[in-house]
Amino acid sequence: MPPPLDSSQRFHKPIRLAKQHYLGPRAYFLTLCTHDRIPYFRSSRIAKWLVESLQQTAIQHSFTLRAYCLMPDHLHTSFPIRAMDGLRNSPAR
């Protein structure tokens, strides 16, 4: 019989990579989903706002938005970042 599980043991993979994976030139692929998968992006007004906001953010933080695919309830994006400088003022680090 296996020993009982210790409550401090993790049962899932860490969601962050090691620090060195966030430095230097990298290409990122990001998917964002709406809350409860509600199809907010069916609204052309909301979709236009999101795309414009994404483009403005890319300019402000010095990265190129290589591609995006906006679906009714989620967004796929692909973008390269040349150096950490592009993320220096970013809220999530």
Side-chain angles (χ1 to χ4, degrees):
M1 176 178 249
L5 295 175
D6 181 342
S7 63
S8 67
Q9 290 177 325
R10 291 179 163 241
F11 295 101
H12 58 82
K13 296 189 318 186
I15 59 171
R16 293 192 59 83
L17 298 173
K19 206 174 210 177
Q20 68 267 20
H21 292 286
Y22 296 95
L23 301 175
R26 299 280 188 246
Y28 294 91
F29 181 81
L30 178 68
T31 298
L32 303 172
C33 296
T34 61
H35 180 69
D36 290 335
R37 302 296 294 248
I38 297 171
Y40 292 116
F41 306 139
R42 280 190 184 154
S43 161
S44 60
R45 183 180 58 82
I46 294 173
K48 183 178 177 181
W49 170 84
L50 180 63
V51 170
E52 288 173 355
S53 296
L54 191 58
Q55 291 169 334
Q56 288 174 356
T57 300
I59 291 167
Q60 290 171 349
H61 294 283
S62 303
F63 65 88
T64 302
L65 185 60
R66 181 164 291 163
Y68 64 88
C69 178
L70 187 59
M71 306 299 285
D73 63 352
H74 64 283
L75 166 72
H76 299 289
T77 61
S78 174
F79 51 94
I81 296 179
R82 290 184 196 89
M84 198 60 185
D85 292 344
L87 295 179
R88 183 167 289 142
N89 296 321
S90 183
R93 284 179 32 163

